[in-house]
Each structure stands twice: as C-alpha cells, then as structure tokens.
Amino acid sequence: MANANPTDGSAPAALDAKRLAWMYTQMYRIREFEERVKSTFTEHPGILRGHTHLADGAEASIVGSIAALAPDDQIVTTYRCHGYPIALGTDMKLMMAEIYGKATGLCGGLGGSMHLYDVARGFLGGSGIVAQAIPHATGAAWAAQIRRQGQAIVCFFGDGASKQGAFHESLNVASVWKLPIVYVMENNHYQASTRTDQEDANAAHGEPLSTKAKAYSMEGVTVDGADPVAVHATLADALARARSGTGPTLVESLVYRLSAHGNLIAPPGVPLNYPEHEAIAIFGNREEYEAALRGDPVPRFRHRLVTEGALSAEDADAIEQAAREEVDEAQRFALDSPWPAPDSGLDYVYA
Amino acid sequence: MSHVIPYIAAIQEAIREEMERDERVLYFGQNMATSPEDPFLKQFGPDRVRVTPISETAEIGMATGAAVAGYRPVVELYMAEFLLVATDQVVNEGTRFHFMSKGQVSVPMVMVAGYGFTAGWAGQHTGSIYGMFMGVPGLKVALPSTPADAKGLMTTAIRDDNPVLFFQNYLLLLDEGEVPDGEHSVPFGVADVKRAGSDLTLVGTGYAVRTALKAAETLARRGVSVEVIDPRTIAPLDVDTILSSVARTRHLVLVDQATRHSSVAAVIAAEVAELGFSSLEAPISMVTALDSSIAYSKPVEEFVLPDEHKVIRAVEASLGLAPAST
Ligand SMILES: Cc1ncc(C[n+]2csc(CCOP(=O)(O)OP(=O)(O)O)c2C)c(N)n1
Ligand SMILES: [Mg+2]
C-alpha cells in the first residue's frame, strides 16, 4: 500500500481545483483532529498521559509537503507527528486510539502520541529524541538510492533540531553521496521555551536558517510555511532534484505553532492541560501570538480558495462538517476501545 | 531546625546556595534562563547562568572544558535519555582526565539528569538508565530518593572534584519532605537506613526506595519487620552497610526500576553473594523491571515495572511466608 495522495507526484504540476480542495481537506482534518486531542485533556481527564505535541499552525507546511510526494516516497518525522499520517491516509480512528493508549491503536498503545508509525503508507516513524531521526531518514534515502526506483525521502524536523550533531553529520553525508532526500525544517521560531534568536547562530545574526545548507554545499530554500501552494512548489522542485541524483535540499519552512510546545509536564496526580504559548507565558509577548493567530493558515487557505473561486463556500463547509464527523467517530472509537493486555508489553521486544 | 520543601526545590536550593558560596559554580542548560525574570539569571547574571542550544555534546563537553579551566559547572540536562546523544562526553572524556594526566587535571562538574518518567512518557523518556554509568572509573553517580538527600547530595556533588552524574527522579519532583536548615551536605558512598527492621533487608535504588518503604509498611502490619536501605550514591556504592544489615536479617531483596541486567540490584546481588554468602538463609531476590521498553499505555507500563505487590511477594518467598491475599 502506498500513501493516499491523489497525485502521481511525477511533476510539480499546477494544482487544479480538485487537488487544492484535497489540500484544504487535509489541513482541516489535521486541525480538527488536533483540537480534539487538545480538548481531551479537559473533556476526558486522565485519558492522555505523558507528552503530546500539536501541529496547529503547521498544517499548510505539512500538507503542502505531503502533496508533493509520489506514492512510494517515504517520510520520517519527530514527536510532533500527528499531522503527517493524516495527510498520508492513515485511519484517524487508529491514530486517536493510539494517542488514547488503546489496544486498537496504530501501535497497540505501545507507542503513544510521540511514536506513531504507518510503514505501509510510507511513514517510517520518527524519534522522541531531538534530531535523532534525521540520520534514519538519511539511511532510508541511501536505501532508495540503491533500489533505483525513483523513490525519495522527506525528513521533517524542527528549528531546534538543527543544533544537534545528528543534523550536521547527516546533511554532510547526504550531500557527499547525493542522496534522494529533502530535509524540511519546520521553523516555528521556538524550541520549547527558547526563542530561535537565543540559540541559533543564523537567527542571532538575522539570517535565515536555510543558510546552514551552504555549509554542506547543498541547495537551501526558505519558504512561507503558512502557504501550502508555495510549500508544494518548493517541495516539488526539491524532490525533482532528489530523484534526478542532483542531491539533497534543505527547506526551511516558516511556521508558527499555535499551541504551547506540549502539555504540562508533571508527575501523576497533577491534572494535565495545555498551558499558554511561550510567547505569552515566558516572554509576555501577547502581540506576537495574536498576530500569529490572525495569520492562522487554515482559515487563510479557505478564504483564498473561496475568493479565488477554487472552492465554493458550501463545499468548504461540507469539507469541515465531514472532518468534524470523522473526528467524532475516531474519538468515539478510541474511547470505546479496550485497553491492551498488560503482557503485550513483552511481545515486541525482539523481532 | 528544618523546612519542608519539594524534592525539586531542594535541588534548586543546593545549586543556589553553592553558587552563592563559590563564584566558580556555573549553571546552564536548555530552556532555562530564557527570560530576564529567571531567578538564577537575576541573582547570578549571564556570565554564570546561560541557556544553551539543544546540543548535549557541546553542553557536556563545554562543562568539561570549563571545569578543566577552573570553574565548577552544573549542566542541566532534563531527561537522562538526552545525555545519551553525548555518551562519549559523559563516560570517556572528563572521567579519564585526572587519571591520564597523572593528577594534573581535575574535572569538577555536575550533570543533572531526570529519569524514570513512567507516567505515560513511553519508550524513549522513561528509562532508569543509571546502572549504565556505575562502572565508569572516574565518574560518581548520585541517586537521591528524598528532598533532604537531594539537597545534601547536590551540595556534595558541586563540591566534589570529579564529574558527578546526578540523577533526579521525575515522579518524585513534587514530593515534599523535611530538609535541614542551613548548610546541608550528604557524603557520597554512605547508605542510609530509611527504616530499621530485623527480619529482612530490602534495598531500593532511587525511586524504588519509595516502593520498598510502602512494602515495608504493609508488611509491618503483618508483623514482618523489614529494614529498608537506600545506597543514595551508586558510585561509590556502600556495600558495607548492606552487608552488616544482611548479617543481622539473613535475607535480602533488591528493588530497582531498571531492567534486570542493567540494574544496581544486579551489582549489589553479586557483592553480597561474594562477600556475605554465609549470612544468607535464602537466595537473594531481585525485583526489577521486566526486560522490555516502557509502553505508553498504562496497564502495559505497569505490567513491566516493579511495584509494592511484587516486592511483597518476593519478601514472602524469601521468608517462606504464605502469600497474603490482597
Ligand atoms: C536530545 C534531546 N534534547 C532535548 C530534548 C527535549 N526536547 C524535546 S522537544 C524539544 C524542542 C525541539 O525544538 P524544535 O526542534 O524546534 O522542534 P519543535 O518542538 O519546535 O517542533 C526539546 C528541547 C529531546 N527530546 N532530545
Ligand atoms: Mg521549533
């Protein structure tokens, strides 16, 4: 089974109305799903454990990227990983059940929110440890190079991850070996509660983070990650380069996460919830956050499609209604599903 | 006199007091001191308190370098697993310098790492990985289970002239306890008897001390007198206190949240088997995590971890008691 992307991914073809509607649908589905995950903290306290990371604000970047994939391409992500499989066609019911820790989940409740996998759809997983999946993606690109079937890999990670050796070591070898890979850095301007300009040399000097590509003699591009069409075009170019053997690309996709880094970190007994965004909670910068809310890519894309006539308001409403119903059903399924058998914890230690 | 504060506050108190006492003490790490309102930044200034990028190799390596150059850095690493990306810096750099330089160089640094967040943090953030570091010559490893020990061991860690890995437990962070007022240090290599008893010796490590104490309390109600020992540091490890307890109780059960073969329990069992064999009237029993990763889902997480019930079963087996119906 390949991913559910309706394109053949062969060319950066102009996006027709049908594909634009598909993109809006995926963006809205991701948003609706994530809002439901978030509201679970208050509506069903105790169900969600550990740490969840939401992608609200990054939907355009995620969907624009996934829309450029060919059916057999593969992706590798981080712990902030709910959005990608939704766009790849993974059943939301299985995702919600996984995030709720149920036996019916995508990984039987063993993985949880940070550790989703759907290998059949090209989602090879990620890592909860910052940047450590970047070499995995690079290795998958090596495998694709050996197979010579035109496959490419897209590796998603955050701005903060580019401060790890794993990032630099991977980009170097990928450039030397001309691996078929696109590195998509979602720059949301924060790593948890540190602003990019406090920890990144490029940002501190007022330069884009895609500047790092220069150090590895590869193409580096910065794109507006709130515009799915621009992201799609950038990824299509980069994927074409990857497939042709020209080498990898570093894409810096500028996004803004609309929720805090993750839910509250606390020992058992303390009710978990989502705190305010760090811009407000740590830096007292409500204006920055409110400006980001005004630029929310999801309503913005709807507005654009409707104004440009690519999508009627009725069709957009119908897409949203269907997404709500789908998420309702996914949540019901997850709530009604059984817990895994306790001893299933011993079943998958070794292959 | 004493005051009651949470475990995490006790650690912070020790760092603050040592920074006040000795201006060579530095404190840095990720996601700390990012706002000018940060209390450490305000009190000690940006020379000594800094936020770093997500770069553990640089963070721990720079702590090593600053220590060699005369400072006493404390590097905050949050979750223990994060230091694994910099394992060379933890085990094979600063730990070797004093020896290789024939004593010319010393590396007084503290790495603060949280472990065992078994509250749904799943496969990559829940490990009890302290045992991996207890056989590294040159490295000291502290594993406090109470606020008082947390403060006292941190004070000692900062004053120690060697690299110290200070493991704090995530589930204990908000646990309150009495901490002596004024300067408070706890020596390394000195175990603490957390509860005196005469029928059986129960040694817990880190978080497992709490599990051991709960089990001892339940057993006391049945007339079983269990002595609970907390080694407090696992490198150096105080084997003598355990041996003398076992010489009296003649029974030993070990509780450890690490997997069996990377547990402190395995090392203690070997020491007592070699040095205290004649004291034993029953086989040593180890209650550890099962050999698996930790699952996200609660029932699966609980299944692989040691708990009070499993400890009580082990104690009953060791003493030849009929299992109590629970
Ligand atoms: C090696 C390592 N260090 C620290 C952490 C803790 N941590 C988890 S997410 C995160 C922030 C990562 O920021 P970024 O790469 O920008 O991604 P974002 O979360 O913003 O999407 C940090 C520091 C970790 N998981 N792994
Ligand atoms: Mg970020």
Side-chain angles (χ1 to χ4, degrees):
Chain A
M1 192 193 327
N3 68 61
N5 189 345
T7 76
D8 70 0
S10 54
L15 297 165
D16 60 20
K18 194 170 150 224
R19 294 179 69 203
L20 290 168
W22 181 85
M23 287 166 75
Y24 180 64
T25 306
Q26 305 320 312
M27 285 170 61
Y28 199 87
R29 289 174 71 235
I30 295 171
R31 174 64 60 89
E32 195 63 27
F33 182 87
E34 298 259 77
E35 301 254 285
R36 198 62 62 90
V37 171
K38 195 174 187 177
S39 69
T40 303
F41 284 99
T42 44
E43 311 267 306
H44 302 278
I47 287 273
L48 294 176
R49 313 179 69 223
H51 220 194
T52 59
H53 306 79
L54 304 180
D56 46 351
E59 295 90 345
S61 181
I62 292 170
V63 173
S65 303
I66 299 287
L69 297 180
D72 291 329
D73 289 345
Q74 295 173 320
I75 67 159
V76 169
T77 75
T78 66
Y79 44 84
R80 196 180 296 286
C81 59
H82 304 165
Y84 315 95
I86 291 177
L88 288 173
T90 301
D91 187 342
M92 262 189 200
K93 293 203 290 293
L94 309 189
M95 290 184 56
M96 196 66 93
E98 184 62 31
I99 295 166
Y100 284 14
K102 298 300 184 76
T104 51
L106 204 48
C107 308
L110 298 179
S113 164
M114 287 194 271
H115 308 293
L116 302 179
Y117 298 78
D118 191 351
V119 174
R121 287 183 179 74
F123 177 18
L124 302 186
S127 180
I129 306 302
V130 169
Q132 303 311 309
I134 301 175
H136 308 164
T138 308
W142 180 27
Q145 185 182 57
I146 295 168
R147 272 198 297 268
R148 289 185 175 75
Q149 292 170 354
Q151 265 178 308
I153 310 296
V154 178
C155 174
F156 297 94
F157 52 90
D159 47 278
S162 67
K163 264 60 73 178
Q164 281 282 322
F167 165 86
H168 294 276
E169 294 172 27
S170 297
L171 265 67
N172 180 66
V173 72
S175 181
V176 175
W177 292 8
K178 296 192 188 310
L179 295 179
I181 184 164
V182 180
Y183 296 101
V184 179
M185 177 204 290
E186 289 169 0
N187 179 0
N188 58 18
H189 312 287
Y190 286 86
Q191 81 87 339
S193 52
T194 306
R195 285 194 326 261
T196 312
D197 63 288
Q198 293 177 299
E199 70 149 17
D200 183 275
N202 302 130
H205 289 85
E207 289 189 276
L209 271 63
S210 58
T211 306
K212 296 181 201 307
K214 283 199 190 126
Y216 304 106
S217 306
M218 71 169 70
E219 206 68 39
V221 195
T222 297
V223 62
D224 175 6
D227 178 353
V229 175
V231 174
H232 173 266
T234 303
L235 263 285
D237 276 355
L239 282 163
R241 267 197 298 280
R243 283 186 232 286
S244 72
T246 318
T249 304
L250 173 62
V251 176
E252 176 193 17
S253 179
L254 298 172
V255 299
Y256 195 98
R257 76 172 145 65
L258 296 172
S259 292
H261 170 73
N263 57 277
L264 190 72
I265 298 180
V270 179
L272 300 180
N273 58 25
Y274 256 79
E276 272 193 311
H277 189 280
E278 294 75 8
I280 303 169
I282 310 280
F283 300 101
N285 194 346
R286 192 170 287 279
E287 255 166 58
E288 173 190 301
Y289 181 71
E290 282 171 1
L293 270 187
R294 285 192 297 275
D296 185 338
V298 179
R300 192 167 118 185
F301 193 47
R302 174 189 158 123
H303 181 76
R304 170 171 160 188
L305 294 184
V306 172
T307 334
E308 287 175 359
L311 189 67
S312 69
E314 297 72 50
D315 286 350
D317 289 345
I319 286 169
E320 294 166 13
Q321 182 57 29
R324 276 190 292 275
E325 284 166 13
E326 186 185 6
V327 174
D328 282 344
E329 196 195 335
Q331 185 174 33
R332 245 190 330 269
F333 173 82
L335 286 170
D336 293 346
S337 287
W339 297 107
D343 62 3
S344 65
L346 302 179
D347 288 348
Y348 297 96
V349 180
Y350 296 100
Chain B
M1 288 296 284
S2 65
H3 53 298
V4 174
I5 48 172
Y7 182 90
I8 181 67
I11 295 167
Q12 297 280 302
E13 195 173 275
I15 297 172
R16 198 185 64 241
E17 288 176 11
E18 289 309 295
M19 290 187 78
E20 285 167 353
R21 202 184 54 83
D22 183 347
E23 62 179 28
R24 294 170 304 167
V25 180
L26 313 178
Y27 187 34
F28 64 96
Q30 295 163 29
N31 288 307
M32 54 178 278
T34 54
S35 138
E37 297 309 310
D38 178 81
F40 275 91
L41 189 59
K42 265 182 146 162
Q43 187 177 352
F44 301 107
D47 271 357
R48 296 175 63 197
V49 178
R50 284 201 191 168
V51 63
T52 65
I54 318 178
S55 304
E56 284 80 6
T57 302
E59 292 167 58
I60 300 171
M62 286 173 70
T64 305
V68 169
Y71 286 86
R72 306 185 82 84
V74 177
V75 52
E76 175 61 67
L77 294 156
Y78 298 94
M79 293 183 169
E81 277 91 348
F82 306 159
L83 65 73
L84 295 175
V85 304
T87 313
D88 174 65
Q89 295 294 340
V90 180
V91 306
N92 202 29
E93 299 295 334
T95 53
R96 312 288 189 211
F97 292 177
H98 191 72
F99 177 83
M100 296 191 300
S101 68
K102 192 168 176 274
Q104 292 178 70
V105 173
S106 60
V107 186
M109 63 185 266
V110 183
M111 295 165 274
V112 188
Y115 72 95
F117 210 172
T118 49
W121 279 72
Q124 293 186 301
H125 293 82
T126 48
S128 294
I129 61 171
Y130 38 75
M132 292 171 61
F133 301 96
M134 69 185 295
V136 180
L139 181 63
K140 297 187 178 181
V141 184
L143 199 61
S145 74
T146 66
D149 287 347
K151 176 169 182 186
L153 291 172
M154 179 55 86
T155 302
T156 304
I158 295 173
R159 295 180 187 182
D160 198 285
D161 282 334
N162 299 284
V164 177
L165 194 40
F166 183 98
F167 281 102
Q168 61 187 37
N169 181 271
Y170 261 99
L171 303 185
L172 296 176
L173 290 184
L174 302 182
D175 267 28
E176 299 204 329
E178 302 227 350
V179 174
D181 289 344
E183 205 176 288
H184 171 58
S185 63
V186 167
F188 281 8
V190 180
D192 191 36
V193 177
K194 293 289 185 211
R195 180 186 178 110
S198 52
D199 295 334
L200 180 139
T201 302
L202 189 52
V203 181
T205 30
Y207 180 72
V209 173
R210 188 158 96 169
T211 316
L213 283 168
K214 276 200 223 157
E217 203 175 310
T218 305
L219 287 158
R221 289 198 289 272
R222 286 165 57 189
V224 181
S225 171
V226 171
E227 179 145 299
V228 176
I229 295 178
D230 176 357
R232 299 196 290 192
T233 58
I234 56 173
L237 178 66
D238 176 3
V239 179
D240 290 344
T241 297
I242 298 168
L243 286 171
S244 61
S245 173
V246 172
R248 283 186 290 103
T249 67
R250 308 198 156 264
H251 296 85
L252 178 63
V253 174
L254 304 158
V255 200
D256 194 320
Q257 195 161 297
T259 49
R260 196 168 168 95
H261 288 182
S262 67
S263 66
V264 178
V267 175
I268 296 173
E271 292 285 5
V272 176
E274 180 171 335
L275 304 171
F277 187 73
S278 58
S279 303
L280 292 166
E281 283 179 11
I284 299 166
S285 172
M286 298 197 280
V287 184
T288 65
L290 303 183
D291 288 318
S292 180
S293 295
I294 307 284
Y296 169 71
S297 189
K298 194 171 185 198
V300 191
E301 179 190 84
E302 285 173 345
F303 180 78
V304 304
L305 295 175
D307 59 21
E308 183 192 343
H309 186 73
K310 292 176 188 174
V311 174
I312 290 173
R313 288 289 166 273
V315 170
E316 289 165 343
S318 176
L319 293 173
L321 302 172
S325 49
T326 41

